[in-house]
Amino acid sequence: LALLVAQSEAVLNGLVFYLFVYGAAVLAAFAVLMNWFGTAPDMLLDQLKGAMKQDKAGAIVLTLAFLSMSAVPLTGGFFSKVFMFAPAMHSGLYQVL
């Protein structure tokens, strides 16, 4: 959407913010998972049970990263999507569909 209305500076700022937030969330999630599992070839979701008891900080970072990537309100991912959609809506892009 940002590329369709890329004439304004607000859209470019929103695009940079979007890339930064999602990049940081992905890096945080992979950093925590690599810290827990290293280079283990077989990682199963069942192995994440009880992660909060073992590493509270890592579990909180992983949870916040996943919430941000799914754009739950009051996370960085939500606000980055708002900054992407608002200029598109303001320029009348919703009338195309």
Side-chain angles (χ1 to χ4, degrees):
L1 286 174
L3 297 177
L4 293 175
V5 291
Q7 295 85 10
S8 69
E9 186 174 325
V11 174
L12 295 178
N13 290 339
L15 180 62
V16 169
F17 184 67
Y18 178 85
L19 292 173
F20 175 75
V21 166
Y22 274 87
V26 168
L27 285 175
F30 274 110
V32 170
L33 291 174
M34 288 299 293
N35 185 29
W36 287 348
F37 296 106
T39 58
D42 52 347
M43 180 180 70
L44 302 173
L45 284 177
D46 289 340
Q47 294 171 329
L48 292 177
K49 289 181 182 176
M52 186 70 167
K53 293 177 186 173
Q54 307 242 340
D55 182 14
K56 289 183 183 188
I60 290 171
V61 168
L62 187 64
T63 301
L64 289 175
F66 284 160
L67 289 174
S68 182
M69 284 189 280
S70 60
V72 172
L74 300 180
T75 61
F78 173 77
F79 288 111
S80 67
K81 293 236 179 177
V82 168
F83 294 149
M84 295 287 286
F85 282 112
M89 296 296 284
H90 183 49
S91 68
L93 197 59
Y94 61 89
Q95 295 175 351
V96 174
L97 298 175

